[in-house]
Amino acid sequence: MNQHELIDKLYKNQILSQDEFVQLINNRDEDSQVYIGQLARCEADKVYGKDVYPRGLIEYTNYCKNDCLYCGIRASNSHVNRYRLNQSTILETCHQGYDLGYRSFVLQGGEDPYYKDELMVDIVAAIRKDFPDCAITLSLGERSYKSYQALYNAGANRYLLRHETASEEHYQKLHPSSMSLAHRKECLYHLKDIGYAVGTGFMVGAPYQTAENLADDLLFIKELEPKMVGIGPFVPHHETPFKDMPSGTAELTTFLISILRLMNHHLLLPSTTSLGTIEPTGREQGILAGANVVMPNLSPVSVRGDYELYDNKICTGEEAAECKGCLSRRIESIGYRLNYCRGDYIE
Ligand code: 5AD
Ligand code: FES
């Protein structure tokens, strides 16, 4: 099958075999990129129209007990200026976001044992009390079923936990031996079972990643049926073992965004900050390839530079209001608009 036939088959069946995905990825060229991008954007338009949903991201701690080889805030990076936001600062940040129009908040942090279940439940309950009309998304890594359940009961609605790679062998190349893909997957199924709207995802162009790995990622996503899939290019951080590895490309990232859109026309698909970091118009390209979510930073400017998962991250010096203006201009420049609603998955 040629590229057009493969894309047509994906469009029709919303899935391909492992071999077919590998072929589609390996043989991509400008023509197939344009073809799949147009189909993908058209399907996103049918479900979500010209709307792009903004989520206000609050990076509440950069302490992390893990030591993922790719990540700038890994435990063994002693050059990080570590911080934790307390409950009142987190609430204050939500209030500022609410005043700017945000109705969807994402609390993200490293795996920080300081935030035990009781404390985290208090924080979520306080946000829920002040913002009954907002979606609360958590991105706190791997926790117990009991912990996930308690946070859900306290008012959290959604959870983001990237699987990172669906190949056990590749997973081991990116993580210390204390971590496993099996446990990561178990957490994802627990979250789903509890009733969270689950988001997963992976880095594009991660060290040692093959087209077969990417095909496995797509097949795993088909099986999990998440409501959201976050993918962005790997970008090296200078204080990690992967400091000399090349970044992922915008070209492959947008191609995969289009594939994901054709696999599920309703998916919430962010055009990520890392995509905007490797190319000035990366986020716009992501939207045009089929993405429909952006996640501007709401964290207090005083800590932004310290949440550095990778080098040269954009928006670390801008106030939330500045990013709001910048992003809306960018989205409008390509014919789309930010819709400040909760931005739920449309069934
Ligand atoms: N480059 C790009 N993305 C990264 N992440 C972590 N480190 C990097 C990096 N160096 C991503 C991971 C994680 C998410 C919060 O950020 O996929 O799940
Ligand atoms: Fe933050 Fe443009 S979105 S400066």
Side-chain angles (χ1 to χ4, degrees):
M1 258 187 280
N2 67 30
Q3 288 296 89
H4 277 247
E5 288 164 345
L6 274 177
I7 294 168
D8 289 340
K9 183 170 180 186
L10 170 63
Y11 182 53
K12 180 162 157 262
N13 300 342
Q14 305 190 10
I15 190 69
L16 291 176
S17 70
Q18 218 284 333
D19 283 353
E20 289 167 333
F21 273 133
V22 169
Q23 197 191 327
L24 181 62
I25 291 165
N26 280 337
N27 297 335
R28 68 188 191 284
D29 56 9
E30 213 177 305
D31 173 73
S32 48
Q33 181 103 31
V34 169
Y35 185 60
I36 197 171
Q38 284 170 350
L39 282 178
R41 190 56 254 174
C42 179
E43 289 313 309
D45 278 12
K46 282 186 201 160
V47 182
Y48 292 99
K50 297 293 175 188
D51 286 346
V52 174
Y53 297 145
R55 322 270 195 223
L57 183 64
I58 302 169
E59 298 154 336
Y60 74 99
T61 173
N62 70 352
Y63 280 85
C64 192
K65 67 172 164 59
N66 289 336
D67 216 18
C68 305
L69 277 74
Y70 46 82
C71 186
I73 63 168
R74 64 202 301 264
S76 62
N77 182 2
S78 57
H79 300 276
V80 182
N81 180 26
R82 304 277 172 179
Y83 71 87
R84 292 185 173 112
L85 302 186
N86 61 26
Q87 179 165 322
S88 66
T89 306
I90 293 172
L91 274 179
E92 169 62 18
T93 306
C94 290
H95 277 282
Q96 283 173 10
Y98 193 91
D99 292 343
L100 286 170
Y102 291 94
R103 296 295 178 269
S104 171
F105 299 114
V106 181
L107 270 189
Q108 185 179 89
E111 289 196 14
D112 182 355
Y114 175 87
Y115 294 87
K116 295 190 182 23
D117 289 353
E118 304 77 60
L119 176 56
M120 217 55 231
V121 162
D122 274 358
I123 292 171
V124 171
I127 300 175
R128 176 49 69 226
K129 177 167 164 285
D130 279 10
F131 306 97
D133 55 335
C134 294
I136 303 176
T137 303
L138 302 178
S139 179
L140 334 176
E142 298 181 3
R143 297 174 84 99
S144 67
Y145 192 102
K146 197 170 134 271
S147 174
Y148 288 150
Q149 182 72 63
L151 293 165
Y152 185 82
N153 295 346
N157 315 101
R158 308 175 180 157
Y159 204 102
L160 305 180
L161 181 67
R162 290 188 178 179
H163 66 281
E164 309 297 356
T165 171
S167 144
E168 184 65 66
E169 201 190 325
H170 188 216
Y171 197 93
Q172 291 311 325
K173 292 183 178 159
L174 303 180
H175 300 95
S177 57
S178 56
M179 295 175 72
S180 74
L181 176 61
H183 191 250
R184 183 60 62 116
K185 285 188 178 177
E186 186 180 85
C187 287
L188 283 163
Y189 283 105
H190 285 169
L191 290 162
K192 222 182 137 173
D193 187 57
I194 291 167
Y196 283 95
V198 171
T200 194
F202 56 89
M203 291 177 291
V204 177
Y208 314 113
Q209 185 179 66
T210 62
E212 285 74 16
N213 294 153
L214 288 170
D216 286 342
D217 289 327
L218 297 170
L219 292 171
F220 170 66
I221 287 166
K222 194 73 193 181
E223 175 193 304
L224 179 69
E225 298 184 304
K227 302 290 186 208
M228 173 149 162
V229 175
I231 64 167
F234 160 75
V235 183
H237 185 286
H238 64 281
E239 291 290 351
T240 64
F242 292 159
K243 62 179 188 305
D244 296 321
M245 298 287 190
S247 287
T249 63
E251 173 267 313
L252 181 53
T253 306
T254 52
F255 194 74
L256 287 161
I257 286 175
S258 297
I259 292 179
L260 287 163
R261 172 60 66 212
L262 293 187
M263 287 171 63
N264 176 357
H265 303 166
H266 299 252
L267 199 59
L268 295 163
L269 262 173
S271 193
T272 61
T273 302
S274 61
L275 187 52
T277 295
I278 58 159
E279 270 193 33
T281 61
R283 284 170 299 177
E284 292 89 319
Q285 291 176 42
I287 303 294
L288 291 173
N292 65 330
V293 171
V294 286
M295 296 171 69
N297 204 322
L298 286 184
S299 310
V301 174
S302 58
V303 301
R304 279 196 197 190
D306 296 325
Y307 198 84
E308 213 188 36
L309 308 187
Y310 48 83
D311 289 339
N312 305 316
K313 188 175 163 205
I314 53 170
C315 302
T316 51
E318 278 76 12
E319 290 287 347
E322 296 176 79
C323 284
K324 181 183 169 171
C326 170
L327 250 192
S328 65
R329 278 192 298 279
R330 286 170 178 276
I331 302 299
E332 281 165 23
S333 78
I334 53 167
Y336 288 79
R337 59 177 172 254
L338 292 175
N339 182 341
Y340 284 83
C341 61
R342 282 173 52 113
D344 286 304
Y345 181 92
I346 296 181
E347 293 292 342

